[in-house]
Amino acid sequence: MSPLRVARIPYLNSAPFYRSLSPAPAAGAGSGEEPGADSAGIELIDLPPRQLGVAARSGYVDAGIVSMCDGFRSPEFEPLLGIAGGMASVHGLGVASDGPSHSVLLLSRVRPEELHGASIAVTGETSTSYPLLRLLLERRYGVRAQTFKRVAGDEENEMRRTTHAAALVIGDRALRMAAAGGIEPGALDYNEELLELPSFDADNSSGSTQPFRFVVDLATVWRRWQELPFVFAQWMVRRELDSESRGRLLKMLDSSLDTSLRDLEGLAAAHAAPAGLTPRGAYHYLMGFTYRIGEREQQGITRFRELLEAAPWWDSALPEVVRASPEAPVR
């Protein structure tokens, strides 16, 4: 029997789901993950959000924590629902934030409302954060006609060196870039819609004449705008997947989540370094997420989809790929 191919997003905010699915760590590795008794027959495949969406649509994976926009566009996948831990998983499992996410950030040289007509660099890993950014710029800030360009190659260095007016960064890369500027979860109040950081690129490692000055947490802006949580991704499975496999996967995910939430400090300490955080910062970061989708999270999903389907660009392609940043910095 073929193993169940489960996609794993290699971001810190997804780590609580994988303690029962991960293979045993090497001696002394201290991964913070514990192999589950039922994890045999599971093949984990590390994929960032956008690549996971491609894999889902192509049939390469059976299940995964699928970015919301990929879920909207993938009729062959559906939410993983059922009974876990004696409780009905009415709306399923996922990654949601009812406030700051700390890792879906717009770094900008100017205030968001001043980005009209500007060029914005976009991480190649995003499926949902890019449409969310466009909605917020257009509907929250009244900014239109931007040029969005997807960065390729050595993305982290490109983002640091970019001369675009702003850059959208997500996941652990966003955490590392913010930490390099001296901020991490728990150190600043990301509940503020706009953070002004005159020394964000303090060592001028970008090589540009003007460092990023502002940081916008997109989840914070969404929460203030819609007064609803934002769901970034949801556990989904192929529609053809049999009920036994669904139930086994849901049981493992629920067990992983329970174990992780009981020892969140330990999980945070084990995964902090790759994200560029201190154990304390990683703990504050993980505390900001909701992993069981409730009624308000479902309302957030519905509202996000409604706004997207009303946008004229929703069915258009993602930003073009660029490896250089020819635009002059905004002054």
Side-chain angles (χ1 to χ4, degrees):
M1 182 177 179
S2 300
L4 189 66
R5 295 164 298 175
V6 177
R8 171 172 58 184
I9 294 180
Y11 291 170
L12 174 56
N13 63 4
S14 300
F17 286 117
Y18 299 106
R19 294 184 84 155
S20 295
L21 278 71
S22 301
S31 71
E33 295 175 345
E34 303 163 2
D38 298 324
S39 61
I42 298 288
E43 179 186 358
L44 288 178
I45 303 168
D46 283 354
L47 294 168
R50 183 165 177 267
Q51 285 78 357
L52 195 163
V54 172
R57 289 189 292 274
S58 69
Y60 181 65
V61 296
D62 300 307
I65 185 164
V66 178
S67 175
M68 291 313 308
C69 286
D70 285 320
F72 297 157
R73 288 171 162 150
S74 303
E76 53 276 282
F77 264 59
E78 63 184 4
L80 175 62
L81 306 176
I83 304 295
M87 298 176 60
S89 180
V90 177
H91 298 298
L93 303 172
V95 176
S97 175
D98 197 9
S101 70
H102 299 102
S103 57
V104 180
L105 306 178
L106 180 69
L107 313 179
S108 182
R109 305 179 195 282
V110 297
R111 294 178 178 275
E113 58 269 25
E114 298 172 7
L115 286 170
H116 189 80
S119 177
I120 298 176
V122 175
T123 171
E125 296 185 352
T126 176
S127 284
T128 291
S129 302
Y130 160 64
L132 173 61
L133 173 62
R134 287 200 69 168
L135 281 178
L136 295 176
L137 287 175
E138 293 178 6
R139 301 289 297 274
R140 177 72 170 176
Y141 295 110
V143 173
R144 295 180 182 274
Q146 309 85 20
T147 299
F148 295 92
K149 295 192 175 181
R150 182 159 51 91
V151 175
D154 186 351
E155 190 172 304
E156 195 153 337
N157 284 332
E158 279 293 309
M159 287 295 193
R160 292 184 187 282
R161 296 189 300 109
T162 186
T163 54
H164 293 281
L168 173 65
V169 292
I170 67 171
D172 290 7
R173 177 174 289 112
L175 292 171
R176 286 192 297 269
M177 291 183 71
I183 61 173
E184 68 172 17
L188 283 178
D189 185 7
Y190 273 80
N191 283 296
E192 294 295 326
E193 190 164 326
L194 182 69
L195 294 177
E196 184 171 359
L197 301 166
S199 300
F200 183 85
D201 193 5
D203 60 358
N204 200 30
S205 60
S206 70
S208 66
T209 57
Q210 181 181 3
F212 290 119
R213 184 179 177 187
F214 300 100
V215 178
V216 179
D217 187 309
L218 300 194
T220 295
V221 182
W222 168 269
R223 177 65 177 81
R224 288 198 169 196
W225 180 36
Q226 293 296 320
E227 298 183 347
L228 287 168
F230 190 82
V231 181
F232 291 98
Q234 185 173 17
W235 273 96
M236 305 187 84
V237 296
R238 284 190 301 106
R239 289 185 181 275
E240 298 84 4
L241 191 66
D242 63 274
S243 58
E244 181 180 351
S245 296
R246 292 171 185 243
R248 188 163 67 95
L249 177 60
L250 184 58
K251 180 181 177 181
M252 285 188 286
L253 292 172
D254 191 70
S255 174
S256 292
L257 193 55
D258 282 346
T259 300
S260 296
L261 296 181
R262 286 197 302 268
D263 182 30
L264 204 58
E265 288 186 350
L267 184 74
H271 291 270
L277 301 178
T278 63
R280 177 180 177 275
Y283 175 74
H284 277 283
Y285 176 62
L286 291 171
M287 283 289 290
F289 290 99
T290 299
Y291 294 103
R292 290 188 170 89
I293 297 175
E295 188 62 38
R296 292 188 69 252
E297 285 76 22
Q298 187 60 44
Q299 291 174 9
I301 292 173
T302 300
R303 181 58 178 150
F304 182 47
R305 186 165 193 168
E306 291 172 348
L307 289 166
L308 286 177
E309 291 178 348
W313 44 261
W314 167 231
D315 292 325
S316 63
L318 285 168
E320 64 181 285
V321 178
V322 294
R323 292 182 181 273
S325 305
E327 291 81 8
V330 175
R331 299 182 188 278

